[in-house]
């Protein structure tokens, strides 16, 4: 029986996702819960997940570092008039070539996937062999399938296998679960999402029902590990998605703590858009001779035209923004970034007051409200989304025509991550940065 175990002497309980497909009648969860007082584990007894309760910390301590990088404004301008011929990547595999279970191949085919993206083509074969992976790639390049396909195949081979996937934001964790459900539908394996901003006791209930995958944010996962609701000592597969973003958000210690609790003989799949020194140290500490896959070619996309909006002294910045947004034929789907939560909310309300279809997401908004706003933006019920950097990484928001930096970002890396929300795939995009 495969499980995420609680601390020694605690009860072990299973987990699963509330949104997952229902199990066939009579089937048993992979994790069993036992009731009654906590007792030491004895041979032949049912292991359990229960631990001593502790206060919930949520999933996002997420404090900023507080240091600003001085950025030359010229780096926000890129107006090349020469259109370079796009270099076409020729994959060396099709998905049907990969040495994976036939049921998983069918699920992939049902998503109309034929040829893998560069990061998938280069990393999946090594991951299927059990190698550690360090993938350096821009957002929107298919990293999620790069780790889900090998891990799902591993569970199909051995239903006792468990995996933990750590992502920087609740939105990205939920997005990963959605893709997991697409691949794993009908395969009798389940995932639980554990993120801050959502009720922890509902997540604990789901954990106790049974699953093979836990997908979550660092703070909430750490909380559940310390409560004894998740024991990672038998977990042999670990994914860090958007590792550099988690570093920016101050989660490096939480991640280190959780990784130290996993099985020493584990497979590590780490993905990041950049490779700062603390992430290099994390890789050195926890991976074993990782295969390095790099498909990142330059800092910013060739598809994104970048420029600055200079606000003259005495002119209100909001008036300049509103004048831009009235050009509805150009500004069809706009993502606006501001630094502070209260500033995001204030700007969103002002735009709504001026008649724009705007919404906002930031850390102070309730989980369900953030999800509703994101869905409305994706479904074109809103055409303007004002956000903190929580939306800058990993989220799949299609057809964003413009990214507007209402305030200069703290670092150039943050700028790169923000404007990566537009100009995705072969589409063209525009990034504008307000400067005084």
């Amino acid at each position: 029986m495969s499980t995420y175990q609680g601390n020694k002497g605690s009860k072990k309980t299973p987990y699963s996702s509330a949104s997952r497909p229902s199990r066939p009648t009579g089937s048993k969860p992979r994790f069993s819960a036992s009731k009654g007082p906590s007792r030491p584990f004895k041979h032949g007894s049912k292991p359990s997940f229960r631990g001593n309760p502790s206060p919930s910390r949520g999933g996002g301590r997420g404090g900023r570092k507080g240091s600003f990088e001085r950025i030359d404004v010229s780096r926000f301008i890129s107006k090349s008039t020469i259109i370079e011929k796009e270099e076409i990547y020729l994959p060396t595999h099709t998905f049907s070539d990969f040495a994976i279970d036939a049921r998983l191949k069918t699920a992939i085919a049902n998503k109309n996937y034929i040829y893998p993206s560069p990061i998938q083509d280069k990393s999946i074969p090594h991951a299927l062999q059990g190698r550690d992976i360090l993938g350096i790639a821009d957002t929107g390049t298919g990293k999620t399938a790069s780790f889900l396909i090998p891990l799902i195949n591993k569970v199909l081979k051995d239903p006792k296998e468990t995996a933990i996937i750590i992502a920087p934001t609740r939105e990205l964790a939920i997005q990963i679960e959605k893709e997991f459900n697409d691949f794993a539908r009908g395969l009798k394996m389940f995932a639980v999402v554990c993120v801050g901003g959502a009720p922890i006791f509902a997540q604990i209930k789901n954990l106790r029902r049974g699953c093979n995958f836990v997908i979550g944010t660092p703070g909430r996962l750490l909380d559940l590990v310390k409560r004894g609701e998740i024991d990672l000592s038998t977990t042999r597969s670990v994914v860090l998605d958007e590792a550099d973003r988690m570093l920016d958000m101050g989660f490096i210690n939480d991640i280190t703590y959780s990784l130290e609790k996993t099985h020493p003989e584990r497979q590590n799949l780490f993905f990041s858009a950049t490779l700062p020194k603390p992430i290099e140290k994390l890789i050195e500490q926890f991976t074993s001779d990782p295969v390095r896959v790099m498909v990142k070619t330059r800092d910013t996309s060739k598809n994104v035209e970048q420029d600055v909006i200079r606000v003259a002294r005495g002119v209100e910045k909001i008036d300049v923004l509103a004048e831009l947004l009235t050009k509805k034929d150009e500004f069809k789907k706009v993502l606006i970034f501001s630094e502070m939560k209260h500033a995001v909310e204030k700007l969103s309300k002002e735009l709504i007051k001026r008649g724009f279809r705007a919404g906002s997401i930031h850390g102070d908004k309730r989980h369900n409200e953030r999800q509703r706003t994101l869905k409305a933006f994706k479904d074109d019920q809103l055409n303007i989304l004002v956000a903190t950097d929580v939306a800058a990484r990993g989220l799949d928001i299609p057809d964003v025509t413009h990214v507007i930096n209402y305030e200069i970002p703290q670092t150039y890396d943050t700028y790169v991550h923000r404007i990566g929300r537009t100009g995705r795939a072969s589409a063209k995009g525009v990034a504008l940065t307000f400067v005084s």
Side-chain angles (χ1 to χ4, degrees):
M1 183 177 291
S2 80
T3 54
Y4 281 86
Q5 302 172 359
N7 296 331
K8 187 176 181 181
S10 66
K11 284 188 167 186
K12 187 186 302 180
T13 29
Y15 58 69
S16 74
S17 171
S19 61
R20 72 190 188 195
S22 59
R23 292 194 193 86
T25 304
S27 66
K28 294 182 179 179
R30 259 168 290 287
F31 303 94
S32 63
S34 54
K35 298 180 179 180
S38 177
R39 61 184 182 278
F41 176 77
K42 297 180 181 179
H43 181 70
S45 65
K46 283 188 176 182
S48 67
F49 273 130
R50 290 188 185 277
N52 295 327
S54 63
S56 171
R57 289 192 312 105
R61 171 154 80 251
R64 286 189 167 274
K65 293 180 180 179
S67 60
F68 286 80
E69 174 186 330
R70 187 178 295 276
I71 308 171
D72 187 337
V73 171
S74 65
R75 299 182 78 184
F76 300 144
I77 304 172
S78 176
K79 285 189 160 187
S80 176
T81 56
I82 300 172
I83 300 175
E84 300 178 25
K85 185 176 180 181
E86 189 84 20
E87 183 179 344
I88 299 174
Y89 176 81
L90 297 176
T92 57
H93 307 87
T94 66
F95 280 107
S96 61
D97 293 333
F98 292 139
I100 56 178
D101 191 285
R103 293 167 290 176
L104 182 53
K105 286 185 179 181
T106 299
I108 293 169
N110 288 341
K111 288 174 67 67
N112 296 318
Y113 288 178
I114 300 175
Y115 296 103
S117 70
I119 188 72
Q120 295 163 356
D121 192 43
K122 294 178 180 180
S123 64
I124 289 177
H126 295 292
L128 289 170
Q129 293 171 2
R131 295 287 303 276
D132 285 0
I133 300 292
L134 172 58
I136 306 298
D138 295 310
T139 56
T141 54
K143 288 181 287 182
T144 305
S146 298
F147 58 78
L148 283 180
I149 289 172
L151 294 184
I152 290 172
N153 191 67
K154 185 184 287 191
V155 174
L156 286 172
K157 285 184 175 181
D158 182 2
K160 294 181 180 180
E161 284 284 347
T162 57
I164 185 166
I165 300 171
I166 308 176
T169 66
R170 61 192 100 170
E171 287 81 9
L172 180 53
I174 291 167
Q175 185 173 296
I176 292 169
E177 184 206 26
K178 182 179 182 297
E179 190 152 356
F180 168 84
N181 287 337
D182 288 344
F183 286 127
R185 188 170 290 111
L187 299 182
K188 298 181 180 179
M189 65 179 72
F190 306 100
V192 177
V193 171
C194 298
V195 295
I200 191 170
F201 293 108
Q203 293 169 5
I204 290 172
K205 181 180 178 182
N206 290 337
L207 288 172
R208 294 176 179 179
R209 292 177 58 200
C211 73
N212 296 90
F213 290 78
V214 172
I215 306 166
T217 47
R220 178 53 59 91
L221 290 172
L222 178 65
D223 193 350
L224 290 164
V225 168
K226 288 188 172 182
R227 286 170 177 255
E229 296 294 343
I230 298 175
D231 175 12
L232 300 172
S233 62
T234 60
T235 298
R236 296 173 182 266
S237 300
V238 175
V239 174
L240 296 187
D241 195 14
E242 307 286 2
D244 51 347
R245 179 62 178 151
M246 290 190 277
L247 171 67
D248 291 343
M249 296 172 74
F251 282 130
I252 193 71
N253 291 333
D254 293 8
I255 293 168
T256 301
Y257 182 93
S258 294
L259 290 180
E260 287 174 343
K261 299 297 181 182
T262 58
H263 196 282
E265 296 178 5
R266 65 184 173 272
Q267 182 179 20
N268 304 282
L269 307 176
F270 292 178
F271 293 86
S272 187
T274 59
L275 206 58
K277 286 184 180 179
I279 297 299
E280 284 273 23
K281 289 179 66 177
L282 198 72
I283 291 161
E284 184 179 344
Q285 181 179 355
F286 289 105
T287 66
S288 174
D289 188 26
V291 176
R292 295 192 174 224
V293 178
M294 183 173 290
V295 298
K296 186 178 174 71
T297 56
R298 54 173 286 173
D299 282 341
T300 56
S301 172
K302 297 175 184 178
N303 297 335
V304 182
E305 180 178 319
Q306 302 160 63
D307 205 349
V308 296
I309 304 296
R310 296 187 182 274
V311 181
R313 188 173 298 176
V315 176
E316 292 291 335
K317 186 160 67 168
I318 183 63
D319 293 333
V320 178
L321 175 63
E323 186 176 349
L324 285 173
L325 296 177
T326 55
K327 302 173 184 177
K328 294 183 179 179
D329 290 341
E330 296 178 34
F331 291 77
K332 295 177 180 178
K333 196 165 192 174
V334 185
L335 185 54
I336 302 174
F337 286 103
S338 190
E339 288 290 321
M340 307 299 290
K341 299 170 189 175
H342 65 84
V344 164
E345 192 65 19
K346 181 180 179 181
L347 178 57
S348 173
K349 288 180 177 178
E350 180 60 29
L351 290 174
I352 293 169
K353 183 179 175 183
R354 293 180 181 227
F356 294 102
R357 293 184 294 123
S360 66
I361 60 170
H362 52 76
D364 285 347
K365 285 217 164 186
R366 296 174 71 90
H367 174 72
N368 290 340
E369 190 175 0
R370 286 169 63 165
Q371 289 303 302
R372 283 195 300 271
T373 302
L374 274 173
K375 186 177 187 304
F377 186 57
K378 289 181 179 181
D379 294 345
D380 295 325
Q381 296 168 18
L382 302 175
N383 74 314
I384 299 169
L385 181 65
V386 189
T388 53
D389 288 306
V390 70
R393 296 294 296 274
L395 292 182
D396 183 16
I397 304 174
D399 305 322
V400 172
T401 60
H402 290 72
V403 166
I404 297 177
N405 295 297
Y406 196 63
E407 295 164 0
I408 293 177
Q410 292 190 17
T411 68
Y412 189 69
D413 274 349
T414 299
Y415 172 76
V416 171
H417 301 326
R418 285 181 179 184
I419 72 170
R421 300 300 92 220
T422 187
R424 305 190 74 166
S426 59
K428 297 295 181 182
V430 177
L432 301 174
T433 302
F434 276 74
V435 297
S436 300

